[in-house]
Amino acid sequence: MLAVERECRDDDARALFELTADLANNELGPAVAAAEHDRLFPREVFKLIGRAGLLGLPYPEQLGGAGQLYETYLQVVEELAGAWLTIGLGVSVHVLSCFPLVSAGTSGQQDRWLPRMLSGDLLGAYCLSEPGSGSDAAALRTSAAADGSVYLLNGTKAWISHAGQADFYAVFARTSGDPDGQDRAKGISCFHVPAGTEGVTVASPEHKMGMRSSVTAQVAFEAAAVPGDQLIGEEGRGFRIALAALDAGRLGIAACATGVAQAALDAAVTYATQRRQFGRPIIEFQGLAFMLADMATAVAAARALYLAAARRKDAGLRYGQQAAMAKLFASDTAMKVTTDAVQVLGGYGYVEDFPVERLMREAKALQIVEGTNQIQRVVIGKSLAASAGLMRPSLPGSRNAG
């Protein structure tokens, strides 16, 4: 990426940004094209990222994290995503999968699992979506039936990043209630499930338009016995954990989208200054210069939006609406900017020799994950109605993570 002026709160954050930029330029950038082409999951790269301390950035030091502000963490995610979305999004997924234990785990559970999770020794996955319940997450049907000292998990989770590569899964399953009932959210619980648990199987990876080196697959649970001490939080209170995690996760997606958009802008500007037509660089033609100006403005606005939401989170304020706005705007911006970047490069933008065609394919996923952008608009609209006293927010992501 071209130099982006990061917002540093202190020297530690500045050093962190320098480390991240070095990793992005020297480790991620040179590897991304081949790995994406060959669909190779970069497990060793995640180990490197973990050793660098980047997989537990926003969590408290006493739990094994780095104690960084969310504002700082998200800028790291943006930098990583700009170099390689599989890594940037993977960091966001891992941080999301650690959230239940950090926010609702007992001290004993935290001491037992979090040090290796937050140090990056273990890679996580987040299991909420199912084949029949995506946007309506409360309608999930995976069950967890108490059987003595264990819970038996049965069901299938879908669209799981890191499936088959993760060392643990944060799994949301129904311990009571009817998935079609009005109070279906009240019977959902959260479990910490090590990947080696008997009865946990992973399907063949999905063949995706983009992010081909990132494994996405279904995870099935067939009478998977999970000890009772791996229940996270109170039984039946898991959906609150899921809602809070989604707000934070949407900021991660916004940062990823901004990184992808920035990378596309960088490629377009570099090409436009080097490519000459009619005796001068094409960036000197007003039609193209105006397009680049609009792209740069949109990227800056996306960054400002996710950082503003992050500051609210860091201050302990409600930020669910702002997270939805940031995810919506940043991912739509990524789609528009990457498409325009392909146009700037012309025929070269359509071939794999240049990165913008990959960035355009990747941007599409960001309009879908962590709640489609149509759902983000519903969340924002519900929040606006609630603030006017017309109704109570009730959809996923409408609450804050505090």
Side-chain angles (χ1 to χ4, degrees), residues 130-388:
E130 296 184 359
S133 63
S135 297
D136 185 10
L140 65 85
R141 294 179 180 275
T142 296
S143 64
D147 183 14
S149 63
V150 303
Y151 288 87
L152 297 179
L153 270 62
N154 286 280
T156 300
K157 296 296 182 178
W159 312 111
I160 306 304
S161 297
H162 303 167
Q165 295 288 339
D167 300 296
F168 68 92
Y169 299 96
V171 181
F172 293 87
R174 182 169 302 283
T175 48
S176 65
D178 180 357
D180 298 316
Q182 209 168 24
D183 295 328
R184 58 192 184 278
K186 293 181 179 179
I188 295 172
S189 301
C190 180
F191 297 88
H192 176 81
V193 183
T197 301
E198 187 175 354
V200 177
T201 58
V202 177
S204 299
E206 307 287 355
H207 294 281
K208 307 191 299 293
M209 177 191 297
M211 293 185 64
R212 293 169 177 167
S213 64
S214 177
V215 178
T216 304
Q218 293 189 353
V219 180
F221 302 87
E222 299 177 16
V226 177
D229 63 1
Q230 290 174 206
L231 171 70
I232 307 301
E234 298 177 24
E235 186 176 296
R237 307 277 284 184
F239 198 61
R240 292 192 177 190
I241 299 172
L243 289 181
L246 285 175
D247 280 345
R250 283 166 181 163
L251 290 182
I253 300 303
C256 285
T258 304
V260 168
Q262 181 70 55
L265 173 64
D266 293 347
V269 170
T270 298
Y271 180 85
T273 56
Q274 296 174 351
R275 174 72 167 173
R276 298 179 66 87
Q277 293 286 276
F278 306 102
R280 53 179 171 154
I282 62 173
I283 198 170
E284 294 183 6
F285 292 95
Q286 188 180 81
L288 192 142
F290 280 11
M291 179 185 291
L292 292 170
D294 287 343
M295 292 161 67
T297 300
V299 173
R303 182 176 296 116
L305 198 55
Y306 86 65
L307 286 174
R311 292 188 194 103
R312 289 184 63 87
K313 184 180 190 309
D314 287 329
L317 301 174
R318 294 178 67 89
Y319 70 97
Q321 177 181 328
Q322 290 77 14
M325 289 176 172
K327 192 273 181 183
L328 166 65
F329 184 82
S331 56
D332 279 354
T333 291
M335 193 71 252
K336 177 68 164 60
V337 168
T338 56
T339 302
D340 286 347
V342 170
Q343 190 70 22
V344 170
L345 271 67
Y348 293 110
Y350 200 68
V351 297
E352 291 186 6
D353 295 348
F354 290 80
V356 290
E357 63 85 27
R358 170 177 57 82
L359 294 169
M360 185 177 76
R361 289 186 285 106
E362 291 176 339
K364 187 62 204 174
L366 299 173
Q367 293 181 305
I368 299 170
V369 298
E370 301 291 0
T372 66
N373 283 4
Q374 287 69 33
I375 287 295
Q376 304 309 318
R377 289 177 169 88
V378 172
V379 169
I380 295 165
K382 295 283 188 181
S383 296
L384 292 174
S387 66

